[in-house]
Amino acid sequence: MLKQTFKFLVSTAFSAKNGNLSATGQWGLHGPIGYVNSSFLTPTFSVEKSIVQSIRGVSIGVEGIVVAAEFRFGFMIGLPVAGAGAFVGVVASIGLTNGSAAGRVGLPLAGPAVKCRGSTLVLTVRAGEGLSVSEPLAKAIETVLKVPIPNEVDFLKKDIVNRTVVEPDVPLCRG
C-alpha cells in the first residue's frame, strides 16, 4: 500500500500578552533534486524576498515563532493498521525571532540601542524504513507483549537548505 503522511507544527514564544509578529518572504529552488550514483542532486536556493527585512511587531519582550511541515510517502507491505516498508519525505521549517522594542530605545546597562531580527530556514530530504502501526494497535502490543514499537531508521538525510540570517549583524544579536 502507499501511505502518505502530512504533519504540521506551529510553536510560538511571546513574552508579552499584547505582542504581535508579522513577516513575509519568498524563496526559490532551481534545478534537480534526487539521489543518483551515490550522490545527492540538490537544487540551487535563492532568496526572492527577504523575510528578515519584513519582520514587524511591537512587544516589550522578545517574540518568536517556528512553523514546520513534513510531507512523506511510504511504500508499505502489510495491512492498513500495520505495515513495514520504505519512505521518502521532505521537511520544511522556518523560525523567526523579533527582538524587544525596548532594545530599540537602549538602556543604560544594556548598551547601545539595537533591535534584533532573525530567521532560520531548513529544508531536509529523508529516506528510510520503518513500521507504520495504528495508535490503538501500537498501545495494545506495548501493553500486552511489553515490547516497544521500533523507531524508523533514516538511510539518507540531507539538508538542501540550512540558512540563518540575523540583522543587524552585531554580537548582541548573534549571541
Side-chain angles (χ1 to χ4, degrees), residues 40-97:
F40 279 102
L41 298 175
T42 57
T44 304
F45 173 75
S46 63
V47 177
E48 316 255 330
K49 182 179 173 190
S50 171
I51 196 166
V52 173
Q53 293 177 357
S54 74
I55 295 175
R56 302 286 181 264
V58 177
S59 175
I60 194 66
V62 178
E63 308 160 327
I65 188 167
V66 174
V67 178
E70 178 183 21
F71 304 93
R72 181 163 60 177
F73 294 94
F75 307 98
M76 300 290 164
I77 297 172
L79 302 171
V81 295
F87 69 86
V88 295
V90 176
V91 180
S93 63
I94 185 161
L96 301 174
T97 56

Side-chain angles (χ1 to χ4, degrees), residues 2-157:
L2 176 64
K3 180 179 181 182
Q4 68 277 357
T5 305
F6 174 73
K7 295 179 183 176
F8 188 72
L9 166 86
V10 176
S11 183
T12 60
F14 289 93
S15 58
K17 63 181 175 181
N18 66 345
N20 61 69
L21 181 64
S22 67
T24 59
Q26 185 175 348
W27 305 274
L29 291 175
H30 306 284
I33 184 172
Y35 189 73
V36 176
N37 297 331
S38 301
S39 64
F40 279 102
L41 298 175
T42 57
T44 304
F45 173 75
S46 63
V47 177
E48 316 255 330
K49 182 179 173 190
S50 171
I51 196 166
V52 173
Q53 293 177 357
S54 74
I55 295 175
R56 302 286 181 264
V58 177
S59 175
I60 194 66
V62 178
E63 308 160 327
I65 188 167
V66 174
V67 178
E70 178 183 21
F71 304 93
R72 181 163 60 177
F73 294 94
F75 307 98
M76 300 290 164
I77 297 172
L79 302 171
V81 295
F87 69 86
V88 295
V90 176
V91 180
S93 63
I94 185 161
L96 301 174
T97 56
N98 191 26
S100 168
R104 186 174 296 236
V105 179
L107 301 173
L109 298 176
V114 63
K115 182 172 180 179
C116 304
R117 299 179 298 182
S119 74
T120 298
L121 175 67
V122 180
L123 184 60
T124 305
V125 293
R126 303 175 55 209
E129 68 179 6
L131 296 175
S132 173
V133 181
S134 71
E135 190 66 31
L137 181 57
K139 285 182 181 179
I141 290 171
E142 290 177 357
T143 302
V144 173
L145 299 179
K146 307 281 192 256
V147 176
I149 302 295
N151 292 330
E152 62 190 27
V153 177
D154 286 336
F155 292 140
L156 303 170
K157 186 174 182 180

